[in-house]
Amino acid sequence: MTVSLEQLRRCHFAVDLGAARTRVYVKGVGLVVDQPSAAAVNTRTGALIAVGELAERMTGRTPGYIRVVRPVSGGTVVDIEMAQRMLRHLLGDKIRRALRRKTRLRAAACTPHDADPLAQRATIETLAGLGARRVELVDTLIAAAVGCGLPVERAQGTMIVVCGAAATQVAVLSLGSIVTAERIPVGGEAVDHAIVQHLRHAHELVLPSQSVRPLQLALSGNGLTPHGPVSTVIHGRDVATGLARSVRIDTAAVRDAIHTPLTAVLDGIGKVLRDCPPDLVADLADVGIVMVGGSALLPGLDQMLREATGMPVNIAERPDVCAVQGIGAMLEGKIEPLVLNPLAA
């Protein structure tokens, strides 16, 4: 592993701060928080009104003096103070009191691949505000690979695609380290935006902020393939009149709109394969690609990658929590360090 497993075993809790959801794993307890990374704030008083699921439901439905903010963008903390307040409320008094009783509280956190020093510092300061005396940073790619059960410690190539809300990370791992990786600034949010723009231009329809995900689900299990539903009904607001309107849309056109941003993901996968040593590429032809992350559940995305790469593509059993489960396994000491003994002379 590229991180110190001995240091991680000393940590008491781990945090995966994502653009879409925040997850917290407490050592000896398990996953205690899995909530949207959102907070509703009263702009007049600065008071925090709601966090997590409740704040997410408030999006687009609040009066002018209430604002729903997202302190994390692309896996990077952009508002440290708000991220600390959000985490405190998500953890609750009981868990916070239990953590405060730990001597020299230590924390671990997932960070995107090639995160710059400022982004890493923001994550450390966020957890330091919760009382952590030391913060260990773990690459999201390695944590996700461990969480989905990939044999990353072996001398064998394994490829993982982390499909996040703001970005997609692609890597080939071997001997517990990243051989080659690429971070593509295209994720689930880009797919949502493509659908919104398509409906606005093609049907003059403005979607409610919460309706894009239901639209993707309406595309059924083969959403990006011709085997999906022919059409679906969408409710929104007419651009010209401002009145509520329902339209029946052709899902083939929606699939074309979704395909455009996903082309960048295919290009990123191709670049990683080109930069990868031939021996590891030969391994990948057998074991294939493993997809993790919330956006990996986009209907038909795995089939699209399978056709584009010609390799087997599998979705992890619980792709949305693989990263935090992986870092949790490191905290619990379930991962053995790789020991390379020099050959005796």
Side-chain angles (χ1 to χ4, degrees), residues 30-104:
L31 187 64
V32 296
V33 173
D34 185 1
Q35 295 277 343
S37 303
V41 183
N42 187 325
T43 56
R44 295 173 181 171
T45 64
L48 200 61
I49 297 174
V51 296
E53 299 276 2
L54 182 55
E56 181 87 353
R57 290 198 298 269
M58 290 182 179
T59 304
R61 297 182 173 91
T62 61
Y65 66 92
I66 296 178
R67 186 164 59 97
V68 178
V69 298
R70 295 185 176 274
V72 184
S73 176
T76 301
V77 178
V78 293
D79 188 336
I80 296 175
E81 181 184 358
M82 186 55 64
Q84 290 174 347
R85 295 174 68 186
M86 180 185 73
L87 277 172
R88 288 193 194 102
H89 282 77
L90 289 175
L91 285 171
D93 294 335
K94 183 178 179 180
I95 297 176
R96 293 211 323 272
R97 282 197 299 268
L99 291 176
R100 279 199 298 266
R101 287 196 290 266
K102 305 289 185 182
T103 56
R104 293 193 58 85

Side-chain angles (χ1 to χ4, degrees), residues 258-269:
I258 292 175
H259 192 279
T260 301
L262 293 179
T263 302
V265 176
L266 297 178
D267 292 342
I269 293 175

Side-chain angles (χ1 to χ4, degrees), residues 267-332:
D267 292 342
I269 293 175
K271 184 178 185 303
V272 168
L273 291 174
R274 288 193 298 272
D275 295 341
C276 190
D279 292 334
L280 292 181
V281 175
D283 292 341
L284 298 178
D286 295 328
V287 298
I289 302 171
V290 176
M291 297 174 60
V292 302
S295 297
L297 297 173
L298 182 64
L301 178 57
D302 55 335
Q303 180 63 27
M304 176 181 170
L305 295 183
R306 199 174 290 118
E307 293 174 355
T309 62
M311 295 191 298
V313 178
N314 301 297
I315 301 176
E317 185 176 351
R318 292 195 61 191
D320 51 338
V321 297
C322 280
V324 72
Q325 293 287 13
I327 198 172
M330 296 179 193
L331 262 63
E332 301 285 3

Side-chain angles (χ1 to χ4, degrees), residues 191-222:
V191 174
D192 293 346
H193 182 72
I195 295 175
V196 169
Q197 292 301 311
H198 166 73
L199 294 179
R200 187 181 185 95
H201 295 312
H203 300 278
E204 297 185 346
L205 191 74
V206 178
L207 285 181
S209 57
Q210 302 294 315
S211 68
V212 174
R213 289 299 174 185
L215 171 59
Q216 292 182 3
L217 295 177
L219 297 178
S220 84
N222 296 310

Side-chain angles (χ1 to χ4, degrees), residues 81-213:
E81 181 184 358
M82 186 55 64
Q84 290 174 347
R85 295 174 68 186
M86 180 185 73
L87 277 172
R88 288 193 194 102
H89 282 77
L90 289 175
L91 285 171
D93 294 335
K94 183 178 179 180
I95 297 176
R96 293 211 323 272
R97 282 197 299 268
L99 291 176
R100 279 199 298 266
R101 287 196 290 266
K102 305 289 185 182
T103 56
R104 293 193 58 85
L105 183 64
R106 292 170 177 252
C110 294
T111 55
H113 180 66
D114 286 343
D116 59 71
L118 286 177
Q120 295 178 4
R121 190 66 200 170
T123 302
I124 293 172
E125 290 186 10
T126 298
L127 298 186
L130 297 178
R133 301 287 297 275
R134 183 184 177 95
V135 179
E136 302 289 342
L137 300 180
V138 182
D139 196 305
T140 302
L141 291 165
I142 293 180
V146 171
C148 66
L150 287 178
V152 294
E153 74 283 356
R154 299 179 187 173
Q156 173 185 341
T158 54
M159 189 171 196
I160 187 167
V161 178
V162 181
C163 306
T168 300
Q169 302 174 71
V170 185
V172 174
L173 310 174
S174 180
L175 291 175
S177 299
I178 297 174
V179 178
T180 178
E182 187 75 13
R183 188 167 183 264
I184 306 117
V186 173
E189 292 175 354
V191 174
D192 293 346
H193 182 72
I195 295 175
V196 169
Q197 292 301 311
H198 166 73
L199 294 179
R200 187 181 185 95
H201 295 312
H203 300 278
E204 297 185 346
L205 191 74
V206 178
L207 285 181
S209 57
Q210 302 294 315
S211 68
V212 174
R213 289 299 174 185

